[in-house]
Amino acid sequence: MLKIYGIKNCSSMKKAFDLLTQLDLAYEFHDYKKQGIDAETVKKWLNDLGQNVILNKKGTTWRKLTEAEQQAALSNEINLIHALTTHTSLIKRPVLETGQGYIVGYDEAAYNALK
């Protein structure tokens, strides 16, 4: 079973939900705005994918952080995990967990390849 992480009212998430439904792929949705996200999951993502894939520096949440907060988040893994679990909008969306690994961001071709 696929598991998709993100927030409900995001345009990328809506496209992902629509395509998964269209492809008739069952999935479980984890809304980290409502449910939060645990440090162990974030640590696994960072270890498997790297901070450049997981950390969304283009979003308003990152830009709203002060320079000191941004530098602190980037200074070590513990601080980055804390920032990502505290400010879940810093995580790129969606994160789709598949049997073969992860697809981060809306990637229509990668989703179609799951069929």
Side-chain angles (χ1 to χ4, degrees), residues 13-27:
M13 293 298 300
K14 287 177 183 162
K15 287 192 276 188
F17 293 142
D18 289 347
L19 184 54
L20 290 171
T21 301
Q22 179 186 328
L23 294 171
D24 200 29
L25 293 169
Y27 62 88

Side-chain angles (χ1 to χ4, degrees), residues 23-34:
L23 294 171
D24 200 29
L25 293 169
Y27 62 88
E28 176 187 339
F29 172 49
H30 181 99
D31 187 338
Y32 48 63
K33 207 48 141 190
K34 291 184 178 155

Side-chain angles (χ1 to χ4, degrees), residues 43-57:
K43 182 173 176 44
K44 181 168 177 22
W45 291 347
L46 291 171
N47 290 341
D48 292 353
L49 303 164
Q51 83 174 28
N52 292 336
V53 173
I54 294 300
L55 178 60
N56 179 8
K57 289 185 179 178

